Amino acid sequence: MPTDSRTDAAPDVPLIPAADRGDWSERAAWLKAELNRHSHAYYVLDNPTIPDAEYDKLFRELVSLEEAHPDLVTSDSPTQRVGGKPLPQFEQVRHAVPMLSLNNAFGDDDIAGFDRRVREGLQLDGEAEYSTELKFDGLAISLRYENGMLVQAATRGDGMTGENVTANIRTVRAIPLRLHAANPPAVLDVRGEVLMYKSDFARLNERQREAGQKEFANPRNAAAGSLRQLDPRITAQRSLRFFAYGIGLLEGGAMPESHAALLDWYAGMGLPVCKERAVVRGAAGVLEFFQSIAAKRPKLPYDIDGVVYKVNRLDQQQKLGFVSRAPRFAIAHKFPAEEAMTVVQDIGVQVGRTGAITPVARLAPVFVSGVTVTNATLHNEDEVRRKDIRIGDTVIVRRAGDVIPEVVSYVPELRKDDVREFVMPAQCPVCGSPIVRPEEEAVARCSGGWVKCPAQRKGGLLHFVSRRAMDIEGLGEQLVDQLVDRQVITTAADLYKLGLSALSELDRMAEKSAQNVLKALEKSKSTSLPRFIYALGIRHVGEATAKELAKHFGSLDRFLDASEEALLEVPDIGPVVARSITAFLADPLNRELVEQLRAAGVHWQEHEPAAAAPKPFAGKTFVLTGTLPAMTRDEAAERIEAAGGKVAGSVSKKTSYVVAGEEAGSKLTKAQELGIPVLDEAGLLRLLEES
């Protein structure tokens, strides 16, 4: 389901003839119901019911209807989720029922004490019944529905008074503007959490980086920052989610008997409710739930920082009441801290299997999330500069689940005068090859490649023997590690020199297993040209590109002799891929490897080169502006150039199309003045597919 909610009717959407439309209002009502149903399936149930393109088609038809007949526009229409004009400020909202905090528990003893107090307060002889759920790491929100319609949304604030964020909340597609209920209560105050999924957070920060803007520290900050935008149109561009977990006020309706029943009631009315919940008995039951969630936590699509236990029956909750600013009937069981402070003692680099050079902070040992951490990634050189991390700084380190620890930020007030800036080395610390960083990439790399650099060798060999490359069965990661570590092989050609005795001496390699590997090696000698090109591990050359190269050139020699200009004639190959191939083929070590593999007997069937296909964008000039939702501008330029088009930096009368993303500036304005066609990313992709 698309994340934006554009209300500009696309010119390619045919309007239904008046004779076929029937009653306008009936058609509009049907469209609204369908769009709301599909949005609920996508954003709440995580079960899409139609393709995005079909959703967009229905949405644009509704936009067209409402533009032609403004009286059809209602406050619960899907088209009204788009943010309106910027707000001058947030007005204050006093909560009808205070939004209180929960007391925290950090260990089994705390939970045992909570359970004991509950049983004593309720004078129970047996076990108490609890409703268990997740403690989301987001922003608490109160939603007020009157007769089923969303009329107000407010932040927690100080618990008594919050900020009115109704205009922004209306852009959150997971939240229904109208409850799915035949007889909704007169007033319903829903309590819940606005949050951002990890995948959406990663995409948001990628767009921030590409636009040269500040990145968000974590999904919680991103959700809070997005919800508190004075311009709802910005909130509409962010992928926010919502889970309901409590109730404030209910008028004109029957209160469910239990907390679990309340959440079921919510779900029946279309309010998102997290599926990770249960009803359990006693301290043992809640601790078992805690452990099960702790195991799932790294794979959850959102961040949580604990689990919440609530006495399930609402009459028992009322009997227990409150103490100070927290309820007696509920408690938050927090996970061990995932962030801690320590000192950066040095910043070094490590070389990955693909040659990526990653700055790594060497830390004074610190205990984070149950593990002692001494190293943390700084991702790339730009990240070091953006976060301004220096040697000697006191920093905050984060470790979430099994994720590699990372440095979040430095602590400004603890910075000393003698801190030192990180300098990216000029040569690979493993093989001594120059470290290079292409202009269009954020990652610096060792230029030695897997043939020369030992740090990349294992990764290159594993790629070479993989099923979609040379398909050498039996040569897995453990066997390749042994062969490299014991210096039995140094290149892929050495694989074909292996004998039975060398293989049999390896750990867990009996004679029969060794014979099977030798048979697989012999079988792999008869391959295809696309597989062989793919197996070479040339950067940016995947399976599809390897097939196009083999089809275009027909023989390995013609491929090896191809110039950058000749490579650009291959379908779907742009300047970045062409430069990568020519750089690989220019290295004498790579050429030598190819010849050694041929000498070892690796062969394939060749054919005459394919006739050059016409380029669909030949003679057309494109200008890119703004931030695209899914592609970088470099990626878009590469696809345009691969189709034969030219990408220019400025708009003129000769411009064929302007491709505009978020925050497009003067180039978009000029295109509109000149009457030049403007495409969004979807329009560009559609043009590429149709060409």
Side-chain angles (χ1 to χ4, degrees):
M1 204 64 59
T3 54
D4 63 338
S5 306
R6 298 186 307 276
T7 55
D8 53 322
D12 61 337
V13 180
L15 294 177
I16 299 174
D20 298 333
R21 278 180 177 264
D23 184 75
W24 298 109
S25 60
E26 287 185 10
R27 181 63 179 174
W30 181 85
L31 286 168
K32 292 173 188 176
E34 281 294 284
L35 289 166
N36 284 329
R37 181 172 69 86
H38 295 310
S39 285
H40 179 75
Y42 185 94
Y43 291 101
V44 180
L45 304 180
D46 288 325
N47 184 29
T49 47
I50 59 172
D52 289 355
E54 290 300 314
Y55 181 94
D56 290 340
K57 183 178 178 182
L58 295 174
F59 186 90
R60 291 196 296 266
E61 183 187 343
L62 180 59
V63 169
S64 299
L65 268 177
E66 292 181 348
E67 286 179 346
H69 304 276
D71 57 303
L72 297 178
V73 180
T74 58
S75 62
D76 63 333
S77 172
T79 65
Q80 301 308 297
R81 288 191 181 275
V82 179
K85 296 180 180 179
L87 306 173
Q89 60 185 13
F90 292 114
E91 65 177 357
Q92 299 297 297
V93 173
R94 188 164 184 84
H95 299 301
V97 175
M99 296 183 70
L100 302 181
S101 301
L102 297 176
N103 286 326
N104 293 325
F106 295 96
D108 294 0
D109 291 343
D110 294 335
I111 297 304
F114 166 71
D115 179 57
R116 185 188 66 255
R117 292 190 297 273
V118 166
R119 287 185 285 107
E120 290 173 351
L122 296 175
Q123 298 179 333
L124 296 178
D125 293 331
E127 294 178 320
E129 185 177 78
Y130 297 103
S131 179
T132 59
E133 57 195 51
L134 307 185
K135 186 178 185 300
F136 303 106
D137 198 8
L139 188 70
I141 289 291
S142 175
L143 306 177
R144 183 181 176 91
Y145 287 88
E146 293 182 0
N147 298 313
M149 296 290 291
L150 177 65
V151 297
Q152 182 178 278
T155 62
R156 181 199 298 274
D158 63 3
M160 306 300 291
T161 303
E163 293 176 319
N164 188 335
V165 290
T166 308
N168 291 345
I169 279 293
R170 288 179 63 84
T171 71
V172 180
R173 287 173 171 259
I175 296 175
L177 302 179
R178 179 195 292 272
L179 296 176
H180 306 168
N183 297 298
V187 177
L188 175 61
D189 181 5
V190 178
R191 303 289 166 81
E193 197 95 356
V194 170
L195 64 155
M196 184 175 287
Y197 277 23
K198 296 173 186 175
S199 57
D200 294 326
F201 171 71
R203 283 191 288 269
L204 171 61
N205 265 352
E206 183 179 352
R207 294 199 299 270
Q208 294 289 105
R209 283 194 297 273
E210 291 170 358
Q213 298 176 355
K214 183 179 179 181
E215 294 180 50
F216 292 95
N218 52 54
R220 185 189 187 283
N221 287 354
S226 300
L227 195 59
R228 298 191 71 256
Q229 290 288 333
L230 291 177
D231 188 347
R233 290 171 296 186
I234 296 177
T235 309
Q237 296 166 2
R238 310 276 175 82
S239 298
L240 297 178
R241 310 286 182 130
F242 173 80
F243 284 123
Y245 57 63
I247 189 168
L249 181 67
L250 176 64
E251 294 179 357
M255 183 73 78
E257 293 184 356
S258 69
H259 183 74
L262 171 70
L263 297 184
D264 289 340
W265 183 47
Y266 280 169
M269 291 190 292
L271 287 160
V273 176
C274 182
K275 65 180 180 180
E276 301 291 348
R277 54 193 173 98
V279 175
V280 302
R281 300 192 68 83
V286 297
L287 290 174
E288 183 179 349
F289 181 79
F290 181 83
Q291 294 300 330
S292 69
I293 294 301
K296 292 181 180 180
R297 186 185 183 193
K299 296 181 181 179
L300 291 174
Y302 39 73
D303 281 342
I304 61 173
D305 56 7
V307 174
V308 175
Y309 313 133
K310 298 175 182 175
V311 171
N312 191 34
R313 282 176 46 184
L314 299 189
D315 60 340
Q316 291 182 340
Q317 289 187 9
Q318 189 173 11
K319 182 177 180 179
L320 288 167
F322 301 83
V323 54
S324 183
R325 296 173 64 85
R328 289 191 177 94
F329 55 79
I331 197 166
H333 191 173
K334 302 292 286 291
F335 290 119
E338 292 189 304
E339 293 185 347
M341 283 202 311
T342 187
V343 175
V344 177
Q345 297 176 330
D346 195 6
I347 298 178
V349 297
Q350 65 182 22
V351 188
R353 288 192 166 191
T354 63
I357 305 293
T358 304
V360 176
R362 313 300 183 192
L363 308 170
V366 62
F367 198 69
V368 187
S369 190
V371 173
T372 299
V373 173
T374 56
N375 297 308
T377 182
L378 288 164
H379 298 294
N380 57 58
E381 187 177 10
D382 286 349
E383 279 289 278
V384 180
R385 305 286 176 244
R386 184 184 68 80
K387 293 179 178 178
D388 193 20
I389 306 299
R390 305 184 188 184
I391 300 166
D393 269 336
T394 298
V395 295
I396 297 172
V397 180
R398 175 188 299 138
R399 180 181 180 272
D402 294 328
V403 177
I404 298 170
E406 66 171 336
V407 176
V408 179
S409 63
Y410 79 97
V411 183
E413 56 269 26
L414 296 180
R415 170 168 282 178
K416 299 178 180 178
D417 295 335
D418 60 350
V419 295
R420 293 178 290 121
E421 291 191 9
F422 164 73
V423 178
M424 176 66 76
Q427 294 180 315
C428 172
V430 177
C431 71
S433 299
I435 289 176
V436 297
R437 179 181 169 185
E439 290 184 8
E440 69 276 5
E441 295 186 22
V443 177
R445 296 181 183 277
C446 165
S447 60
W450 67 280
V451 178
K452 182 178 181 180
C453 183
Q456 303 176 59
R457 187 166 297 151
K458 290 179 182 178
L461 286 168
L462 283 170
H463 172 78
F464 183 86
V465 304
S466 63
R467 184 170 62 86
R468 298 184 179 276
M470 297 302 290
D471 191 20
I472 304 174
E473 191 174 347
L475 271 174
E477 185 171 358
Q478 290 184 347
L479 192 55
V480 168
D481 283 349
Q482 290 187 68
L483 290 169
V484 174
D485 292 342
R486 299 186 185 189
Q487 298 182 339
V488 178
I489 62 173
T490 56
T491 73
D494 292 337
L495 290 170
Y496 295 99
K497 301 174 186 176
L498 288 173
L500 187 62
S501 59
L503 285 171
S504 299
E505 290 175 0
L506 300 177
D507 297 340
R508 299 180 180 177
M509 182 59 66
E511 184 175 331
K512 185 175 181 180
S513 299
Q515 288 175 340
N516 289 337
V517 170
L518 292 175
K519 288 179 182 178
L521 281 164
E522 189 63 31
K523 180 182 177 182
S524 73
K525 289 180 180 179
S526 179
T527 185
S528 66
L529 184 55
R531 278 182 176 271
F532 184 77
I533 293 174
Y534 176 60
L536 292 176
I538 304 171
R539 182 160 166 74
H540 297 307
V541 175
E543 282 184 88
T545 303
K547 289 177 181 177
E548 290 294 340
L549 288 165
K551 179 181 177 182
H552 183 85
F553 292 107
S555 77
L556 182 65
D557 287 333
R558 280 191 288 266
F559 168 62
L560 294 176
D561 294 338
S563 65
E564 187 172 327
E565 291 73 21
L567 289 166
L568 287 171
E569 294 298 318
V570 181
D572 296 327
I573 288 187
V576 173
V577 180
R579 285 195 296 270
S580 178
I581 294 171
T582 52
F584 180 90
L585 297 179
D587 191 320
L589 285 176
N590 294 331
R591 291 274 188 165
E592 184 181 346
L593 172 64
V594 170
E595 294 309 317
Q596 287 178 351
L597 288 167
R598 277 174 150 177
V602 178
H603 62 280
W604 50 84
Q605 188 174 358
E606 298 189 339
H607 57 77
E608 289 301 310
K615 299 267 186 171
F617 283 5
K620 296 180 180 179
T621 301
F622 292 73
V623 173
L624 303 171
T625 180
T627 303
L628 302 179
M631 288 191 291
T632 65
R633 282 204 264 181
D634 286 335
E635 289 169 341
E638 186 173 340
R639 296 195 63 172
I640 290 168
E641 290 168 343
K646 177 185 175 183
V647 177
S650 59
V651 179
S652 69
K653 291 182 179 179
K654 296 182 179 180
T655 303
S656 307
Y657 296 96
V658 168
V659 181
E662 293 179 16
E663 301 179 9
S666 59
K667 294 177 184 177
L668 175 60
T669 303
K670 188 171 182 180
Q672 292 168 336
E673 292 172 353
L674 295 175
I676 293 168
V678 177
L679 303 172
D680 58 8
E681 183 183 276
L684 172 62
L685 293 173
R686 193 160 50 243
L687 197 63
L688 284 164
E689 291 170 359
E690 293 170 354
S691 300

